[in-house]
Amino acid sequence: MTAVTAPSAAARTLRPVWLVSVLAGIAAAVATELYGLAAGAAGVPMAAGSIGASTAGSIGAGLFAFGVAVSVFWGTILAVLLHRYARGPARTYLWTTIALTAVSFAGPAFAGATATSTKLMLTGAHVLAAVIVIPVVTRRLAVRR
């Protein structure tokens, strides 16, 4: 007599790559907004300048979420294309997004007229978003239909 097993939860609820990326992005946007609010409440100056700028502009509500949304938009396109065309989409996505996250640190590092504490906080926001999105999307890309 052979046992019949039910499909795993992952197989039953396999969501499209784009949806997994968007949902992870929403979670990251909320988390970075809360992180930014906490940093401001802790006394971190919420003003940053562009690379090489001589003046800083205010980091207002929604800018953390907006930054995450832009990154997740392009990351979702990358994930969908890799899922469709790459031989090893999960590995390629993982290493590409880690490299892009590292490159993103240049913005805060070279921001003009920006306090060091703000630069560190902004870099932390990049890390926070990456830690939320990258593993989730990588796990989804590792599963083929």
Side-chain angles (χ1 to χ4, degrees), residues 27-136:
V30 170
T32 56
E33 277 295 320
L34 293 174
Y35 171 79
L37 288 171
V44 174
M46 297 305 283
S50 300
I51 294 178
S54 59
T55 60
S58 177
I59 302 171
L63 286 180
F64 286 92
F66 178 76
V68 170
V70 170
S71 297
V72 168
F73 171 80
W74 291 110
T76 300
I77 291 172
L78 174 66
V80 168
L81 290 174
L82 290 173
H83 184 254
R84 173 86 170 113
Y85 298 109
R87 181 172 288 166
R91 179 183 167 103
T92 304
Y93 176 85
L94 175 65
W95 289 110
T96 302
T97 53
I98 288 172
L100 290 171
T101 300
V103 169
S104 78
F105 297 159
F110 297 112
T114 304
T116 301
S117 60
T118 305
K119 291 179 180 187
L120 292 172
M121 181 270 302
L122 291 171
T123 301
H126 289 220
V127 171
L128 176 61
V131 164
I132 292 170
V133 175
I134 294 171
V136 172

